[in-house]
C-alpha cells in the first residue's frame, strides 16, 4: 500500500513536471519564422513578428504582452514586459515606485532611499523605429527570445532585478520593408533598394524627430509609456548604421550637451558607455566607437533617445552596421589605430547579418547587467535628478548659457580698456560673475502663464498637450487671478518650473543658446546633430508670460497624461445676420473646411475674417464643429463692413515623389488634421501638362524643385536614383518621374500664366530663379572684380534655428498673422528683390528681416547678413501667382504659428455681388 502511494505520488509529480515543462517550452525563432534571426537574406514581417510575440507571451511566465495602441495604418503596436514571474505579479507596485521616484513629489530623502531598495530598475529597449535599419526589429526579437528562454545565472539575476520594456517602435515600417525585401524568390536578388514609399505612413525617417510634439500615433504610444506610465531609468534606442570602418557607435557622445539638464545624465552615459564597450571587448568583439568617433551629441531634443535626457532618463543610441544582404567593412586607415574613441579597432572583413544581431544582444545584456548590479543607484539617481529640478525651480537660479559667459567676458574686457582693472593671471575678478549670474533680471523663470484671453487659445491647448504627453505637470486656473500686476482669466494655463521635468519645460519655452562650434579657430562650423534651436512655444506662436518670482493662485493640477480639449460656446442672440470666425485661430480653418464640405456659404472680409450667414443648418454645423475645437464663434446682427468675398475650396495638388518625401508627408498629415482636401501629385502627372484642368493650387515643399544648373539657387535640393518600371510592382509605377527644367517647369509656368497658383517652400523657391523673376540670392558678397559670390560658412551659417521676421499681414496670404512672427530657418533661402519690381508691385515682400539680430533660438553665425533680406514674397506670373517662402513654415507640423500662410492660399474667392454691410 505504501509502495502504491509512493508510486501514485511519483506519477503525479512527474505529470506536474511534464506539464510545467510543456507550458514553459519556448518556441525558438526558427520554429516560428522558418529561419533563425540573423540568417543572411531573411527578414521577418511585422505580421510574423506580432504572432511570435503572442506565442512567447503565452508560453513564458517571464513575459507580459502590452498593446500600446494603434499605428497610423491601424496595426497594434506591442511592448513585451519581461521580468521574473514574481516581479510580473507586482508590476503595478514597481511602476508606482518608478513614478514616485521620477516625479520626486513630496518624497523625502529617506523615503527615496527606501523606495530605491524596494523597487526594480526599469529599462526600455526598442527596435525598428527606422525600418530600413533592419537590425533594430530583429535584435528585438532575438533579445526577447533569449531573455525568456535562457537559464544562465546572469539572465536570472537580470530578471530578478530589472523590469525590461521591449517595445516595437514602427510596426508599419517593418511590414513594408520586410515584405519589399522578401518579395524576390531568389535570395541573392533581394534588396532594400527602391522602397516605393516612406516607412512610416506620413513622415518616414522623421518618426525620430517627433518626440516632443508626438504628432504621430506611434510617437504618443511610446511617449505614454516613457513619460506617463513607466518613466524608465534607461531608454535604449537601436539604430543604424555605424561609421565606416567601425561596427557600432555608442555612448558617450561628443559635445555640446544641452545646458538645461542634470549633469548626472552625462556621467551616467559615461558609466553605461563603459559597460557596453567593455562587454564587447571582453567578448572579443571589436569596432565600438564613441565621442569623437561619431557625429552624435546630446544637444538636441526631439528624438526617441534625446528627449529622455530632458526627463532625467539615460538615453542610449547605438548605430550599428549590418544588413540581411552580406556586406563588407571597408578599410579606413585612420580608424585602425587604437585611441580613446575606438580602443579596439576592427579590420576590413566580410560582415554577416547575424554578427550584428549578436553584437546587439551583447549590448542589450551589457545595459541590463549594469542595471541589475546598480539597480538602487539608478532608481535613486532618477529621484535625485528630479529633486534637483524641483529645488531649482523653487528658488532663484541662473543657467550658465554661452551668452552669459560672453557677457561676463565682455564686461571684463570693457573695463580693461578703460583701465579700471588689471589682469590677474588666468582668472578674472569674481565681481564680473556676480554682475551677470546674480543679476535678478537674468534669473530662470519660476513658471509660465498662458492667458486664455489670447487670440488662438485652441493652439495653446495643443501646446499644452505636447507638454502633457511629455509627462509635464500643467495647471489650469479655476478662477480669474492676478500675478505680477497682470490679470488673467479663468481657464488660463500655468506651467511651473518647480517639477521633475523642469529641463523639458525650460527647453520648450526658453531659447536654445547653441555654442559657436568650429572645426578649428577661423575654420568651418561643425553642423549640429539635427537642429540648433527649436523652442516649441516660439514655433507654435503661443503667447506666454515668464514669471521670475514665486507665485500662486486658484490653480488646479491636471492629472498626468490628461489631454486638453477646450470647448467654446456659440455666442448667439436674436435677430442674427450671421456668424464670424477669427482667422487668427488656426482651427477656424478646420471649421470653415467642414462648412464648405457641407455646401454652407462662407465669406471673407477685407481683413480676412470669416463670415457665415445665419441659417438653421449653419448654426447646427457650427455648434457641431467649432465647439469641440474650442473655436469661438460670434453671432452678429449686421454683416461685416466692406465687400465680402465668397470662398470655396480649391483643387490643391501636393508634390511627392517615388520613395516618399518627408516634408510632403508632414504637409499631407497637417492638411488632413485641418480638413483640407489635398491630392498627392507625382512628377509624371505634372509632366503630362494641362495642369489647369486638374488643379488650382500646386504646393512644392523643400526638395522638390532642383536648383538652376550653374546658376543662382534658393537652397539645396535633393535627387535620388529611381528604379526602372520593370523592377517594381505595377501599383507603384505611377509614382515614378522627375521634375525637369525643360518639361515640368514649362508646364508650371503655363499653369501660372493661365491663372494657377504655385506655392513653394524652402529649396523649392528655386522656381523663382528658373522663371527668371527679378529676385536674386541675398546671401552673397561682392568680390573685388564686382562679381557676386555665395557667402562661405566661415562667414555665414545658420543651421536649424528660430528667427524673427516682419510680416505684411495686410496681404490675403498672410491674413490672421501678426505683424511679426517666429519662423524655423535652416540655412534657408533669402532674397533681394529688384527695385523696379518693387515699384511696379509685380513682386511683393511678404516676410523680411528688419534688423541684423533676428536670432530667437539656436545658432546664427553671421546673422547680420540677413538685415533687409526678404524671407518670402509673392510674384505675379501671367494671370497667376508664385508664392515663395524661404523658411520652413510647415516644419515637422510643429510650426503652428506659420500654418496660416499655407492655409490662406487654399481657398478661391470671388466678390459676392452687392453683398456689403448695407445688405444684399
Amino acid at each position: 500500500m505504501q509502495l502504491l502511494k509512493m508510486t501514485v505520488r511519483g506519477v503525479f509529480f512527474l505529470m506536474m513536471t511534464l506539464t510545467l515543462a510543456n507550458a514553459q517550452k519556448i518556441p525558438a525563432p526558427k520554429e516560428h519564422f522558418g529561419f533563425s534571426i540573423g540568417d543572411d537574406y531573411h527578414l521577418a514581417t511585422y505580421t510574423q513578428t506580432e504572432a511570435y510575440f503572442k506565442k512567447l507571451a503565452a508560453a513564458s511566465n517571464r513575459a507580459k504582452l502590452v498593446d500600446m495602441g494603434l499605428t497610423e495604418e491601424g496595426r497594434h503596436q506591442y511592448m513585451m514586459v519581461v521580468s521574473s514571474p514574481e516581479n510580473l505579479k507586482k508590476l503595478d507596485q514597481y511602476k508606482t515606485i518608478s513614478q514616485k521616484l521620477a516625479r520626486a513629489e513630496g518624497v523625502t530623502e529617506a523615503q527615496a532611499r527606501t523606495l530605491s531598495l524596494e523597487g526594480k530598475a526599469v529599462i526600455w529597449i526598442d527596435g525598428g523605429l527606422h525600418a530600413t535599419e533592419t537590425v533594430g526589429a530583429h535584435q528585438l526579437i532575438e533579445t526577447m527570445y533569449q531573455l525568456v528562454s535562457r537559464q544562465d545565472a546572469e539572465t536570472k539575476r537580470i530578471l530578478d532585478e530589472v523590469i525590461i520594456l521591449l517595445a516595437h517602435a514602427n510596426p508599419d515600417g517593418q511590414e513594408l520593408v520586410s515584405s519589399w525585401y522578401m518579395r524576390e524568390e531568389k535570395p541573392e536578388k533581394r534588396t532594400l533598394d527602391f522602397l516605393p514609399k516612406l516607412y512610416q505612413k506620413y513622415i518616414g525617417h522623421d518618426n525620430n524627430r517627433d518626440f516632443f510634439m508626438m504628432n504621430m500615433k506611434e510617437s504618443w504610444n511610446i511617449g505614454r509609456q516613457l513619460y506617463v506610465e513607466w518613466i524608465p531609468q534607461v531608454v535604449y534606442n537601436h539604430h543604424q548604421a555605424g561609421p565606416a570602418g567601425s561596427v557600432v557607435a555608442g555612448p558617450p557622445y561628443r559635445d555640446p550637451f544641452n545646458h538645461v539638464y542634470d549633469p548626472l545624465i552625462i556621467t551616467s552615459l559615461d558609466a553605461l558607455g563603459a559597460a557596453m564597450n567593455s562587454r564587447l571587448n571582453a567578448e572579443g568583439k571589436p569596432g565600438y566607437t564613441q565621442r569623437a568617433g561619431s557625429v552624435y551629441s546630446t544637444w538636441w531634443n526631439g528624438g526617441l533617445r534625446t528627449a529622455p535626457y530632458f526627463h532625467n532618463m539615460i538615453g542610449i543610441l547605438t548605430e550599428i552596421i549590418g544588413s540581411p544582404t552580406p556586406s563588407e567593412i571597408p578599410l579606413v586607415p585612420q580608424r585602425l589605430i587604437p585611441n580613446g574613441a575606438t580602443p579596439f579597432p576592427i579590420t576590413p572583413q566580410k560582415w554577416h547579418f547575424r554578427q550584428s544581431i549578436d553584437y546587439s544582444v551583447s549590448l542589450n545584456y551589457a545595459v541590463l547587467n549594469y542595471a541589475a548590479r546598480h539597480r538602487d543607484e539608478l532608481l535613486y539617481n532618477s529621484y535625485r535628478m528630479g529633486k534637483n529640478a524641483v529645488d531649482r525651480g523653487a528658488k532663484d537660479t541662473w543657467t550658465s548659457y554661452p551668452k552669459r559667459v560672453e557677457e561676463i567676458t565682455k564686461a571684463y574686457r570693457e573695463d580693461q580698456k578703460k583701465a579700471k582693472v588689471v589682469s590677474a593671471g588666468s582668472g578674472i575678478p569674481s565681481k564680473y560673475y556676480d554682475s551677470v549670474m546674480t543679476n535678478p533680471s537674468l534669473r530662470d523663470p519660476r513658471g509660465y502663464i498662458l492667458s486664455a484671453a489670447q487670440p488662438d487659445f485652441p493652439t495653446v491647448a495643443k501646446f499644452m498637450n505636447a507638454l502633457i504627453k511629455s509627462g509635464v505637470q500643467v495647471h489650469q486656473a479655476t478662477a480669474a487671478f492676478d500675478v505680477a500686476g497682470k490679470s488673467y482669466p479663468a481657464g488660463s494655463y500655468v506651467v511651473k518650473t518647480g517639477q521633475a521635468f523642469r529641463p523639458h519645460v525650460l527647453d520648450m519655452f526658453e531659447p536654445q543658446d547653441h555654442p559657436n562650434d568650429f572645426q578649428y579657430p577661423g575654420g568651418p562650423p561643425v553642423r549640429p546633430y539635427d537642429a540648433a534651436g527649436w523652442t516649441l512655444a516660439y514655433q507654435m506662436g503661443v503667447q506666454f508670460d515668464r514669471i521670475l518670482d514665486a507665485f500662486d493662485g486658484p490653480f488646479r493640477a491636471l492629472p498626468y497624461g490628461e489631454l486638453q480639449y477646450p470647448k467654446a460656446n456659440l455666442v448667439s442672440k436674436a435677430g442674427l445676420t450671421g456668424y464670424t470666425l477669427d482667422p487668427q485661430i488656426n482651427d477656424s480653418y478646420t471649421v470653415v473646411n467642414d462648412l464648405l464640405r457641407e455646401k454652407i456659404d462662407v465669406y471673407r472680409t477685407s481683413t480676412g475674417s470669416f463670415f457665415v450667414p445665419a441659417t438653421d443648418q449653419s448654426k447646427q454645423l457650427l455648434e457641431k464643429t467649432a465647439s469641440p475645437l474650442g473655436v469661438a464663434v460670434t453671432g452678429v446682427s449686421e454683416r461685416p463692413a466692406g465687400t465680402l468675398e465668397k470662398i470655396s475650396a480649391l483643387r490643391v495638388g501636393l508634390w511627392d515623389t517615388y520613395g516618399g518625401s518627408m516634408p510632403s508627408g508632414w504637409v499631407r498629415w497637417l492638411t488632413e488634421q485641418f480638413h483640407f482636401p489635398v491630392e498627392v501629385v507625382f512628377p509624371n502627372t505634372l509632366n503630362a501638362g494641362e495642369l489647369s484642368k486638374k488643379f488650382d493650387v500646386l504646393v512644392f515643399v523643400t526638395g522638390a524643385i532642383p536648383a538652376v544648373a550653374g546658376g543662382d539657387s534658393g537652397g539645396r535640393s535633393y535627387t535620388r536614383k529611381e528604379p526602372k518600371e520593370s523592377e517594381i510592382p505595377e501599383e507603384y509605377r505611377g509614382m515614378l518621374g522627375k521634375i525637369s527644367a525643360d518639361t515640368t517647369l514649362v508646364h508650371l509656368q503655363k499653369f501660372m500664366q493661365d491663372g494657377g497658383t504655385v506655392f513653394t517652400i524652402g529649396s523649392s523657391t528655386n522656381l523663382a530663379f528658373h522663371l527668371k523673376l527679378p529676385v536674386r540670392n541675398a546671401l552673397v558678397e561682392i568680390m573685388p572684380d564686382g562679381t557676386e559670390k555665395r557667402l562661405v560658412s566661415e562667414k555665414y551659417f545658420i543651421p536649424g534655428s528660430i528667427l524673427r521676421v516682419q510680416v505684411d499681414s495686410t496681404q490675403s496670404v498672410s491674413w490672421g498673422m501678426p505683424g511679426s512672427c517666429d519662423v524655423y530657418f535652416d540655412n534657408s533661402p533669402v532674397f533681394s528683390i529688384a527695385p523696379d519690381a518693387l515699384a511696379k508691385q509685380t513682386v511683393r515682400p511678404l516676410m523680411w528681416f528688419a534688423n541684423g539680430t533676428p536670432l530667437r533660438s539656436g545658432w546664427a553665425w553671421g546673422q547680420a547678413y540677413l538685415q533687409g533680406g526678404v524671407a518670402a514674397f509673392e510674384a505675379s506670373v501671367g494671370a497667376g501667382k508664385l508664392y515663395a517662402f524661404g523658411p520652413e513654415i510647415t516644419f515637422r507640423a510643429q510650426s503652428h504659428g506659420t500654418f496660416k500662410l499655407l492655409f490662406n492660399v487654399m481657398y478661391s474667392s470671388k466678390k459676392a455681388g452687392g453683398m456689403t454691410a448695407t445688405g444684399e
Side-chain angles (χ1 to χ4, degrees):
M1 187 60 133
Q2 185 68 22
L3 180 61
L4 179 60
K5 287 182 180 179
M6 291 176 64
T7 303
V8 171
R9 189 181 297 118
V11 171
F12 174 76
F13 282 118
L14 178 62
M15 291 177 63
M16 286 296 294
T17 301
L18 291 172
T19 300
L20 288 171
N22 187 58
Q24 286 292 291
K25 185 179 186 307
I26 308 300
K30 189 167 186 176
E31 296 173 38
H32 175 79
F33 296 103
F35 55 87
S36 296
I37 297 300
D39 280 357
D40 287 342
Y41 302 110
H42 287 82
L43 291 178
T45 66
Y46 183 73
T47 299
Q48 296 169 319
T49 301
E50 177 183 15
Y52 187 60
F53 286 178
K54 291 178 179 177
K55 280 186 179 179
L56 291 182
S60 174
N61 61 359
R62 297 177 178 181
K64 178 182 178 181
L65 192 60
V66 175
D67 188 345
M68 296 191 293
L70 296 178
T71 67
E72 290 290 351
E73 292 185 5
R75 292 181 178 84
H76 291 272
Q77 186 172 9
Y78 287 106
M79 174 178 74
M80 188 78 84
V81 183
V82 176
S83 195
S84 69
E86 294 75 19
N87 290 344
L88 290 181
K89 293 173 185 176
K90 299 187 287 185
L91 280 184
D92 289 343
Q93 175 185 337
Y94 293 128
K95 181 190 288 188
T96 299
I97 289 174
S98 185
Q99 291 174 352
K100 282 184 176 180
L101 289 170
R103 291 174 181 151
E105 295 172 341
V107 178
T108 66
E109 175 79 12
Q111 290 170 333
R113 293 288 184 186
T114 300
L115 289 171
S116 299
L117 294 172
E118 293 175 355
K120 302 297 180 183
V122 181
I123 308 299
W124 170 282
I125 299 174
D126 60 59
L129 185 66
H130 289 162
T132 51
E133 300 166 10
T134 52
V135 172
H138 290 76
Q139 62 79 27
L140 192 73
I141 298 169
E142 182 67 20
T143 299
M144 197 178 293
Y145 167 67
Q146 293 202 25
L147 285 170
V148 300
S149 63
R150 282 171 52 168
Q151 300 297 324
D152 58 280
E154 181 185 36
T155 298
K156 289 181 178 179
R157 182 178 65 250
I158 287 170
L159 295 172
D160 285 342
E161 303 294 342
V162 182
I163 294 168
I164 310 152
L165 310 178
L166 297 166
H168 200 296
N170 184 8
D172 299 343
Q174 186 187 356
E175 189 70 18
L176 172 68
V177 170
S178 295
S179 298
W180 184 257
Y181 183 82
M182 297 296 289
R183 77 189 194 282
E184 289 285 354
E185 289 188 15
K186 190 174 181 180
E188 290 75 15
K189 291 185 66 177
R190 291 172 183 164
T191 178
L192 294 172
D193 292 344
F194 304 130
L195 199 67
K197 57 184 180 178
L198 297 171
Y199 52 66
Q200 195 277 347
K201 181 177 179 179
Y202 296 101
I203 61 173
H205 191 275
D206 265 3
N207 63 356
N208 198 29
R209 305 295 184 269
D210 190 39
F211 284 98
F212 63 64
M213 197 73 186
M214 288 181 263
N215 281 314
M216 297 297 115
K217 291 177 181 177
E218 296 92 333
S219 307
W220 176 216
N221 292 341
I222 291 169
R224 187 187 298 110
Q225 299 301 322
L226 292 181
Y227 307 126
V228 179
E229 293 289 331
W230 275 101
I231 319 183
Q233 291 80 55
V234 178
V235 175
Y236 186 177
N237 181 216
H238 282 262
H239 280 274
Q240 290 184 259
S246 69
V247 175
V248 59
Y253 309 104
R254 71 171 181 88
D255 285 339
F257 64 83
N258 200 288
H259 309 109
V260 299
Y261 52 68
D262 198 286
L264 265 172
I265 291 293
I266 297 301
T267 52
S268 298
L269 280 170
D270 289 344
L272 268 163
M276 297 165 75
N277 202 342
S278 294
R279 185 174 188 115
L280 291 186
N281 293 342
E283 293 179 357
K285 294 173 177 169
Y288 187 101
T289 191
Q290 59 192 9
R291 289 199 173 96
S294 71
V295 301
Y296 306 103
S297 73
T298 52
W299 170 258
W300 172 67
N301 191 348
L304 205 167
R305 177 265 307 194
T306 60
Y309 298 144
F310 301 82
H311 297 78
N312 306 320
M313 302 176 193
I314 306 164
I316 295 173
L317 164 77
T318 51
E319 297 268 350
I320 196 167
I321 64 171
S323 167
T325 301
S327 57
E328 298 281 340
I329 294 180
L331 173 60
V332 181
Q334 59 267 35
R335 286 195 181 268
L336 294 176
I337 301 173
N339 55 35
T342 311
F344 188 8
I346 193 166
T347 56
Q349 58 187 270
K350 191 166 187 175
W351 194 260
H352 295 276
F353 197 31
R354 181 66 200 192
Q355 291 173 276
S356 295
I357 300 299
D358 289 341
Y359 266 65
S360 298
V361 172
S362 292
L363 291 166
N364 287 337
Y365 261 76
V367 171
L368 296 172
N369 182 57
Y370 180 92
R373 294 179 180 276
H374 299 269
R375 171 183 57 82
D376 58 331
E377 180 182 327
L378 284 171
L379 287 165
Y380 176 76
N381 285 352
S382 173
Y383 163 78
R384 185 69 268 157
M385 288 186 279
K387 186 64 166 61
N388 289 345
V390 171
D391 292 344
R392 287 177 64 81
K395 64 183 180 182
D396 288 344
T397 55
W398 288 260
T399 298
S400 294
Y401 296 113
K403 62 186 176 184
R404 300 287 179 247
V405 174
E406 290 173 10
E407 289 167 9
I408 292 170
T409 305
K410 181 181 178 182
Y412 173 64
R413 287 175 177 169
E414 286 179 351
D415 280 357
Q416 273 191 315
K417 289 178 182 178
K418 298 172 185 176
K420 288 185 177 181
V421 296
V422 178
S423 178
S426 60
I428 67 175
S430 61
K431 69 176 184 177
Y432 293 98
Y433 173 88
D434 295 338
S435 68
V436 174
M437 300 306 291
T438 62
N439 184 337
S441 66
L442 302 180
R443 288 173 291 167
D444 295 335
R446 298 288 186 94
Y448 306 90
I449 302 176
L450 300 95
S451 174
Q454 61 186 283
D456 192 1
F457 195 61
T459 294
V460 173
K462 292 176 182 179
F463 176 47
M464 291 299 98
N465 283 342
L467 298 181
I468 290 167
K469 287 178 178 181
S470 292
V472 169
Q473 175 74 77
V474 174
H475 290 78
Q476 190 168 30
T478 57
F481 65 99
D482 292 341
V483 169
K486 182 174 178 178
S487 297
Y488 299 90
S492 298
Y493 289 111
V494 174
V495 183
K496 294 191 175 186
T497 58
Q499 57 176 296
F501 296 164
R502 177 179 183 269
H504 190 72
V505 172
L506 293 178
D507 205 56
M508 295 294 99
F509 280 98
E510 298 291 307
Q512 284 76 48
D513 183 16
H514 193 285
N516 292 325
D517 188 12
F518 295 93
Q519 294 180 24
Y520 51 86
V526 177
R527 185 172 182 85
Y529 178 70
D530 195 82
W534 50 85
T535 309
L536 187 56
Y538 294 175
Q539 287 198 69
M540 295 188 73
V542 300
Q543 300 172 12
F544 63 91
D545 292 316
R546 300 169 76 250
I547 309 301
L548 299 183
D549 295 309
F551 67 100
D552 214 336
F555 307 146
R556 177 180 73 92
L558 302 178
Y560 285 106
E562 183 180 282
L563 301 183
Q564 298 298 289
Y565 301 100
K567 299 291 189 291
N569 295 322
L570 184 72
V571 180
S572 185
K573 53 188 174 182
L576 287 180
T577 301
Y579 307 93
T580 61
L581 291 92
D582 189 344
Q584 296 179 92
I585 303 172
N586 282 350
D587 269 317
S588 288
Y589 295 82
T590 313
V591 175
V592 166
N593 291 334
D594 289 346
L595 294 172
L596 293 176
R597 188 178 62 246
E598 298 300 323
K599 313 299 183 186
I600 303 294
D601 289 344
V602 181
Y603 300 83
R604 294 199 86 167
T605 70
S606 57
T607 58
S609 294
F610 297 100
F611 174 73
V612 183
T615 66
D616 289 342
Q617 186 184 12
S618 65
K619 180 182 179 183
Q620 183 180 4
L621 269 169
L622 284 168
E623 288 175 338
K624 178 182 177 181
T625 60
S627 178
L629 294 171
V631 176
V633 179
T634 304
V636 294
S637 55
E638 295 182 359
R639 294 184 181 278
T643 301
L644 300 178
E645 295 191 353
K646 188 175 181 179
I647 65 172
S648 59
L650 291 175
R651 300 169 300 166
V652 179
L654 171 64
W655 167 87
D656 208 334
T657 185
Y658 184 89
S661 156
M662 290 181 289
S664 178
W666 278 117
V667 172
R668 178 161 50 96
W669 180 83
L670 77 87
T671 53
E672 287 179 13
Q673 306 314 299
F674 289 92
H675 301 180
F676 281 98
V678 170
E679 178 183 341
V680 174
V681 184
F682 293 95
N684 280 346
T685 299
L686 299 172
N687 293 335
E690 297 190 321
L691 298 175
S692 296
K693 293 182 179 180
K694 307 165 192 170
F695 305 104
D696 303 302
V697 178
L698 289 169
V699 179
F700 294 90
V701 296
T702 282
I705 306 294
V708 176
D712 215 336
S713 171
R716 58 189 181 275
S717 57
Y718 308 97
T719 58
R720 62 161 62 117
K721 186 179 177 182
E722 285 195 338
K724 298 175 183 177
E725 283 195 359
S726 59
E727 294 176 326
I728 61 173
E730 186 174 355
E731 63 183 295
Y732 300 119
R733 293 173 186 173
M735 300 177 179
L736 295 173
K738 290 185 179 298
I739 288 182
S740 63
D742 57 352
T743 302
T744 321
L745 303 190
V746 172
H747 289 309
L748 290 180
Q749 186 170 18
K750 178 68 164 57
F751 172 69
M752 286 183 279
Q753 289 171 339
D754 291 343
T757 295
V758 172
F759 193 97
T760 60
I761 303 171
S763 70
S764 286
T765 59
N766 284 326
L767 183 57
F769 302 116
H770 284 283
L771 297 174
K772 295 182 170 55
L773 295 178
V775 299
R776 62 182 180 82
N777 180 7
L779 300 174
V780 297
E781 58 182 338
I782 307 300
M783 305 306 292
D785 61 359
T787 60
E788 292 182 348
K789 180 182 177 183
R790 179 184 290 272
L791 289 167
V792 296
S793 61
E794 287 87 344
K795 293 184 176 182
Y796 169 84
F797 180 70
I798 306 180
S801 297
I802 312 296
L803 305 185
R804 191 76 166 175
V805 295
Q806 299 302 116
V807 181
D808 182 356
S809 57
T810 66
Q811 301 301 314
S812 61
V813 68
S814 50
W815 277 339
M817 293 291 295
S820 62
C821 73
D822 295 323
V823 295
Y824 188 85
F825 188 96
D826 187 6
N827 285 315
S828 302
V830 181
F831 309 94
S832 177
I833 301 174
D836 186 58
L838 287 172
K840 294 178 180 178
Q841 295 195 342
T842 54
V843 181
R844 293 180 178 177
L846 298 171
M847 301 194 307
W848 60 93
F849 297 102
N851 56 55
T853 55
L855 178 65
R856 291 271 282 160
S857 178
W859 184 20
W861 183 252
Q863 62 177 316
Y865 286 104
L866 293 173
Q867 183 164 355
V870 173
F873 64 85
E874 168 190 325
S876 298
V877 181
K881 290 189 182 299
L882 169 69
Y883 290 99
F885 285 85
E888 298 295 332
I889 60 169
T890 59
F891 183 68
R892 293 175 180 165
Q894 296 168 6
S895 53
H896 287 243
T898 49
F899 286 173
K900 287 184 280 285
L901 297 166
L902 173 62
F903 293 170
N904 280 320
V905 302
M906 298 171 81
Y907 299 120
S908 70
S909 63
K910 59 182 179 180
K911 287 185 174 58
M915 183 172 283
T916 66
T918 58
E920 296 184 44

